[in-house]
Amino acid sequence: MSFVSPLQALWASVFITAVYPVAGKFAVGYVSAPAILVLGTLGTVLLYLPWLFKNNLWGELFRRDLIIKFAAVGLFGTALPFLLIFIALNYTTPANSAILNQTEVIYSLFLSALFLKEYPSRRQLTGTALVVCGVVMLLLGEGFSVKLKGDLIILATVWMFQLSHIAAKKLPRDTPDSLIVCARALFGFLWTLPLAAAMAFFGVSFYCKASLRSALILLFIAVFNNLIGNIFWYKAIRNMPLAKATAVMLAYPVFTYIISVCAGFDKFSLMQIFGLALAMGGAYMVTNTIRKEN
C-alpha cells in the first residue's frame, strides 16, 4: 500500500466501512452475528498464513514486547465491542446504535490528548462537530426512539475502539501494517471463541446457511473489511492524529445511506439530504486540516 497516501488510505477505509452495514443487512437470516465474528476473523487469518510463513513472521505475533498490544487490538478492536453491540441491538435499534457510535469522536479527542499527546485545533473541532451533527440529522430522518438499556450498552463500547487504535499506534514504527491487521484478526478470533459462546445466554445462536449469499458475505468481511479495510485504516492512523482520522471515519454513514438507497433499502428525505451536506462539509474541513499539516 506504499503507493497510497495516508489521507487516501483513510478515505478508502471510510468507503469500505460504509458497505459493512449493507452487508449485515444481506446477512440477516443467513449468517448470525457470532458466525460473522468467528468465521470472518478466521478467514482473514487463513488468508495471511502464506504471507506469515513466507516472511517468517509467525513468531512476531507472540513476541514478548508486542503480544500485549496485539491482544488489546484484537480484544478492544474486534471481539468485545462487537459482542456488546450485537447484544445491545436486542434492546435498541440500528439507528440508535449508529447515532450513539458518533460519540466515539469525543472519546477520541480525550484519549488522544491523554495517551498520545495529540491536541485538536479549533478548525478540527468545528469540522468534527459538523460531522456529528450531520450524521445525527441523517439518522433522525429514519426515526429515533430511546431504548435506554441498549443505548447504555452502546455508550459503554465506543471507547473500546479508541483503546484498540491507541494500542496500535503505540507499536514500534517498524511494525508492518499488515502484521497489525493479521494480529487483530488472530487475537480477535481467539477472544471471540469464548465470547461467542457467552452470546448464547442472550439468545443469539451460531448458524451459517450453506448458500452463495453466505459465502459472499463472509468473503467480504474477511477480505475487504477485516483485511484490506484495516490495512488502509492502520496506514492512516499511524501517520496522522487519531482524533482527526476518527472524525473523517465517522462520515461513513453518509455513504452507507447512499449505498442503501441505491440498493432499494432506503429513500432520501430533505432532512437526510441536509445531513449529508453537513457531514460531508465537516469531513472535508478535517481532511483539509490533515492535508495542510502534511
Side-chain angles (χ1 to χ4, degrees):
M1 296 293 178
S2 58
F3 58 90
V4 177
S5 72
L7 198 53
Q8 290 171 331
L10 175 59
W11 277 103
S13 181
V14 170
F15 293 137
I16 292 173
T17 302
V19 182
Y20 189 90
V22 180
K25 180 74 173 179
F26 280 109
V28 174
Y30 286 82
V31 189
S32 68
I36 288 178
L37 283 173
V38 172
L39 299 178
T41 51
L42 177 60
T44 306
V45 173
L46 293 176
L47 288 170
Y48 262 112
L49 285 180
W51 178 78
L52 286 171
F53 286 113
K54 179 182 178 181
N55 294 281
N56 197 28
L57 290 172
W58 184 257
E60 293 292 299
L61 293 169
F62 302 97
R63 254 176 54 183
R64 183 176 300 178
D65 59 329
L66 300 180
I67 189 170
I68 293 178
K69 293 184 178 69
F70 282 155
V73 169
L75 177 62
F76 294 112
T78 298
L80 192 55
F82 283 113
L83 166 71
L84 292 174
I85 287 170
F86 286 134
I87 292 173
L89 288 173
N90 286 296
Y91 306 104
T92 190
T93 64
N96 280 34
S97 172
I99 291 171
L100 293 170
N101 271 322
Q102 305 312 302
T103 59
E104 183 180 350
V105 74
I106 300 172
Y107 291 110
S108 182
L109 290 168
F110 174 74
L111 293 175
S112 294
L114 182 63
F115 293 106
L116 302 175
K117 308 303 179 186
E118 297 174 353
Y119 302 102
S121 65
R122 187 175 301 176
R123 185 177 178 85
Q124 177 190 342
L125 290 173
T126 302
T128 299
L130 288 175
V131 171
V132 174
C133 290
V135 171
V136 168
M137 289 191 67
L138 191 71
L139 298 173
L140 283 175
E142 288 296 298
F144 180 77
S145 58
V146 177
K147 306 288 192 302
L148 185 59
K149 187 174 182 179
D151 291 348
L152 290 176
I153 295 174
I154 294 293
L155 287 173
T157 64
V158 289
W159 59 271
M160 296 179 187
F161 291 110
Q162 289 301 307
L163 282 188
S164 169
H165 304 332
I166 288 171
K169 286 186 70 101
K170 289 287 189 179
L171 288 164
R173 286 295 304 171
D174 60 352
T175 306
D177 294 335
S178 294
L179 187 64
I180 301 175
V181 175
C182 180
R184 177 171 175 172
L186 174 62
F187 286 95
F189 169 72
L190 294 176
W191 285 114
T192 298
L193 288 176
L195 292 175
M199 291 184 74
F201 291 102
F202 294 88
V204 183
S205 59
F206 187 105
Y207 65 85
C208 179
K209 293 185 178 179
S211 67
L212 179 60
R213 177 181 290 197
S214 299
L216 290 175
I217 290 166
L218 292 174
L219 185 66
F220 169 80
I221 298 299
V223 177
F224 290 98
N225 189 78
N226 292 352
L227 198 157
I228 298 175
N230 281 337
I231 287 178
F232 282 132
W233 174 245
Y234 288 120
K235 181 177 178 62
I237 67 168
R238 298 182 80 212
N239 292 281
M240 67 176 66
L242 178 58
K244 289 184 174 67
T246 301
V248 175
M249 172 57 71
L250 291 183
Y252 81 86
V254 171
F255 300 102
T256 298
Y257 269 102
I258 293 173
I259 296 169
S260 186
V261 168
C262 294
F265 294 135
D266 284 290
K267 293 181 179 179
F268 282 128
S269 67
L270 288 177
M271 180 180 288
Q272 289 171 324
I273 292 173
F274 186 70
L276 285 171
L278 204 61
M280 290 309 299
Y284 180 74
M285 184 180 292
V286 178
T287 299
N288 270 347
T289 301
I290 297 170
R291 186 180 291 116
K292 290 176 181 178
E293 290 178 353
N294 290 340

